[in-house]
Amino acid sequence: DAEGRYVLVNLSAANLLGKQVAEMVGKTDSELFSHEAHSLFSQGDDEVRGGEKEKIFEVEVIERQAVSRTFLVTKKPFRFSLTGENGVLGFAHDITFLKAAELTIQEREKRYRAIMENAYDLIAEIDGKGQYLYVSPNFKEVLGYTPQDLLGSNIFLPVHPDDRDAVIAEFQRGMASEGTGQSIYRYQDCHGEYRWFESTGKVFRTALGELRGVVVSRDITQRKLSEDALEAIVRGNVIRS
């Protein structure tokens, strides 16, 4: 009502606050709570009482055990027919699962956008420990591995022993800064032979706050062979001169 007393409370609202319905009716926030008023029930009241016809907004509520829930709240002015007093009528819809679904869709869009932008390269998604969560189908063509061969395995195991420490260090740096990283290294194919790759990684967080990395890799074996051959020619000329 105009004094901030609860006139009508349903069971869901009472359960959310850990109260009984009878315990809330006729009471104000200051009488019910030792701390500040609950945002789900108090936010927007003053604006509606001040003349706004309707107010719609989202409120995130942290419940016991740090569980977060999101509500879509609607506040409307209300007039009591018997007394003519003005009050505020509030509705709160739990949209927690809807928001989680939206975040999941956004997360997938980010991942697949990165994949589509680099469709000709090897694409992998890894977790914070470097385990494969996704590999693009062209791993089979380039390295001979199927996605089933790699999923759940560690990305660093096939790296040449002489290159592994530097690759791991760059991975850890990127994860710690939640930024990007780049490495050039040798990677073992399914036949035991090593090929040169140049990889760029980008770190992101999932809807649940977990760290993930998208790694885009390009086979540069022919480039490295050409560079080595050119270096050998230059070195030979220098020695002869």
Side-chain angles (χ1 to χ4, degrees), residues 34-96:
S34 58
H35 49 79
E36 63 183 12
H38 199 294
S39 60
L40 181 61
F41 297 90
S42 62
Q43 186 173 330
D45 286 359
D46 291 339
E47 292 88 49
V48 173
R49 290 194 193 99
E52 287 193 27
K53 293 183 178 180
E54 183 179 78
K55 194 168 183 64
I56 301 175
F57 51 91
E58 292 180 6
V59 174
E60 185 177 7
V61 176
I62 306 298
E63 298 183 331
R64 291 182 294 273
Q65 299 177 344
V67 176
S68 174
R69 295 171 66 184
T70 305
F71 291 83
L72 180 65
V73 180
T74 302
K75 296 290 181 73
K76 297 180 178 181
F78 176 77
R79 180 179 292 273
F80 294 92
S81 58
L82 295 178
T83 64
E85 293 182 357
N86 292 324
V88 177
L89 187 62
F91 302 90
H93 300 281
D94 191 339
I95 59 170
T96 304

Side-chain angles (χ1 to χ4, degrees), residues 118-137:
N118 301 276
Y120 296 104
D121 295 326
L122 300 182
I123 311 296
E125 181 182 347
I126 57 176
D127 64 13
K129 297 180 180 179
Q131 291 184 322
Y132 282 112
L133 301 176
Y134 168 86
V135 296
S136 56

Side-chain angles (χ1 to χ4, degrees), residues 169-183 199-204 212-215:
E170 182 68 0
F171 167 81
Q172 292 174 338
R173 186 197 64 78
M175 282 291 178
S177 64
E178 298 187 26
T180 60
Q182 188 172 32
S183 293
S199 293
T200 301
K202 171 66 177 177
V203 178
F204 68 96
R212 294 283 190 268
V214 173
V215 181

Side-chain angles (χ1 to χ4, degrees), residues 3-19:
E3 303 300 323
R5 294 186 297 263
Y6 292 103
V7 178
L8 177 65
V9 180
N10 69 357
L11 185 60
S12 295
N15 288 339
L16 180 64
L17 296 176
K19 304 284 186 181

